Amino acid sequence: MPHRIPVHFAIPVVPGDAVLLGASGTAPAGLPFARIGTANLTNHQANCACCNPRDTIGMALGALHQARARGQVAWFNRLVVLAPPENWPAVRAALTEDRLAAARYRLA
């Protein structure tokens, strides 16, 4: 299996990290980030098979991974979840239940 990106919760971020934020969190300067619920899927048709049905966390993780693969954001080797703790169970669920997220990311 290819290298899956480790996901950590609420640890200090360092250069080379990406972050997953809640709807109103502030991204650390210079780091790639995604927000829960705001994935940009404009390159996909409505209800495409790879995205539907997926929750907003799975879509945000997918959009961040695509941006990494396309060189649209800096390459990152781990993801740090800075979303509020009440979002953590849903992030964990996305990492185990969303097939695309589980193929790209793993709980650290």
Side-chain angles (χ1 to χ4, degrees), residues 10-107:
I11 64 170
V13 295
V14 298
D17 286 348
V19 295
L20 180 64
L21 302 168
S24 62
T26 301
L31 295 181
F33 69 94
R35 290 186 190 281
I36 294 172
T38 60
N40 181 0
L41 299 174
T42 58
N43 294 328
H44 296 245
Q45 296 176 355
N47 297 318
C48 71
C50 70
C51 299
N52 188 34
R54 294 181 74 202
D55 68 17
T56 59
I57 296 170
M59 290 190 308
L61 292 171
L64 185 59
H65 191 271
Q66 282 184 347
R68 175 186 185 246
R70 292 177 177 161
Q72 296 168 334
V73 299
W75 190 264
F76 55 92
N77 293 312
R78 68 181 190 168
L79 177 70
V80 179
V81 178
L82 298 180
E86 58 266 19
N87 296 131
W88 295 2
V91 173
R92 285 187 181 97
L95 292 171
T96 58
E97 297 169 11
D98 184 293
R99 290 182 184 182
L100 293 175
R104 296 170 177 155
Y105 299 91
R106 65 176 174 82
L107 290 170

